[in-house]
Amino acid sequence: LFASCPRKYYLSRYLGFDGSPRKTGEAALPIVTPAQPATELSASEFGTQVHALLAGNSVTDPAPAALRLAEVFRQSPLARRAARATRTAREFDFLMAVDDLVIRGQVDLWFEEGGELVVVDYKTDEVTAAEAHHRARDYQLQLRLYALAVERVTGRAPNRAWLHFLRPNTLVEVDLTPTLIESPEQTVRDFQEAQSKLDFPLSVGDHCHRCPFYRDLCPANWGQT
């Protein structure tokens, strides 16, 4: 979240806003969202069901859509490669330090097959195939951190990393080539500096249109003349 936009991180994590629209003149205070009906899954709960199904875990009364998306991956070339893998791990938990910052996460899937070490992350975002390639930019750092975690466990850097957007059944490869500007280590240093200075600048781009704070709590003027 910080890598995507430091200001968005600040508004949501520091100040506790959820991005819900406010009425004119309404005080800018954190908003408590009413609970959803018990029969309706939130996006987070739906994603959890899909990931649990793909991990082979038991899911009580799974949503039909979750079963469908899980089957989309099972029929994919990556799933067939994982089935042939000499080493494989699903829902792989990791805890590692990067420049004195402790990072915790969970890799959906990594496997070694045909001489390649591969990292895979499933996404249940509601996007089209065309939109998936743009949305993939938001997840580049996440996949690079996953690759770093897998490297520390296996002793070798992954060869490839893939995002599988399940709704449009679209695969997007993430470039793992190290760069000085966008490396996980540099992002961690930027994060620590922002924390120490309480300075969370805007990152303006086309992602602003998807941000819940756009044209409300955030002063970004992306696309305006």
Side-chain angles (χ1 to χ4, degrees):
L1 181 58
F2 173 84
S4 174
C5 179
R7 181 63 59 88
K8 183 178 180 180
Y9 168 85
Y10 173 71
L11 289 171
S12 61
R13 295 295 189 267
Y14 260 74
L15 301 186
F17 292 108
D18 64 0
S20 299
R22 293 177 287 114
K23 297 178 182 178
T24 303
E26 182 180 1
L29 294 174
I31 299 170
V32 177
T33 304
Q36 291 182 305
T39 56
E40 183 180 349
L41 289 176
S42 68
S44 176
E45 292 168 334
F46 179 79
T48 297
Q49 281 198 0
V50 173
H51 283 73
L53 289 167
L54 287 172
N57 299 330
S58 176
V59 177
T60 303
D61 193 23
L67 292 169
R68 181 181 64 81
L69 291 190
E71 190 60 25
V72 166
F73 179 76
R74 294 191 185 108
Q75 298 301 321
S76 70
L78 284 176
R80 290 193 289 272
R81 290 193 65 186
R84 300 191 300 264
T86 54
R87 285 196 294 177
T88 183
R90 300 177 185 274
E91 300 296 301
F92 173 73
D93 294 307
F94 68 85
L95 188 71
M96 65 179 179
V98 179
D99 276 17
D100 297 325
L101 182 71
V102 176
I103 298 176
R104 177 180 62 178
Q106 187 177 74
V107 182
D108 290 345
L109 169 67
W110 66 263
F111 62 85
E112 186 173 6
E113 189 272 336
E116 283 192 336
L117 190 59
V118 181
V119 176
V120 182
D121 194 58
Y122 325 120
K123 296 299 179 188
T124 57
D125 303 37
E126 294 192 30
V127 294
T128 65
E131 292 168 341
H133 289 273
H134 291 286
R135 187 66 59 86
R137 300 171 189 169
D138 296 341
Y139 298 117
Q140 287 181 344
L141 177 64
Q142 180 184 4
L143 267 292
R144 287 171 179 166
L145 285 168
Y146 286 178
L148 183 60
V150 171
E151 179 180 1
R152 293 190 180 185
V153 170
T154 62
R156 56 173 289 199
N159 302 91
R160 308 181 79 174
W162 294 92
L163 288 161
H164 192 166
F165 291 87
L166 299 175
R167 292 183 190 271
N169 193 14
T170 300
L171 282 169
V172 181
E173 186 170 9
V174 174
D175 186 3
L176 297 179
T177 305
T179 65
L180 293 177
I181 298 176
E182 297 181 341
S183 70
E185 293 84 358
Q186 183 57 50
T187 303
V188 166
R189 287 191 286 270
D190 293 342
F191 178 76
Q192 291 173 313
E193 183 177 2
Q195 295 273 16
S196 64
K197 295 181 178 179
L198 286 181
D199 180 21
F200 299 91
L202 292 171
S203 176
V204 179
D206 57 3
H207 59 269
C208 291
H209 294 288
R210 301 192 303 271
C211 179
F213 304 113
Y214 182 56
R215 292 184 178 175
D216 185 19
L217 293 173
C218 180
N221 291 316
W222 173 248
Q224 297 182 9
T225 57

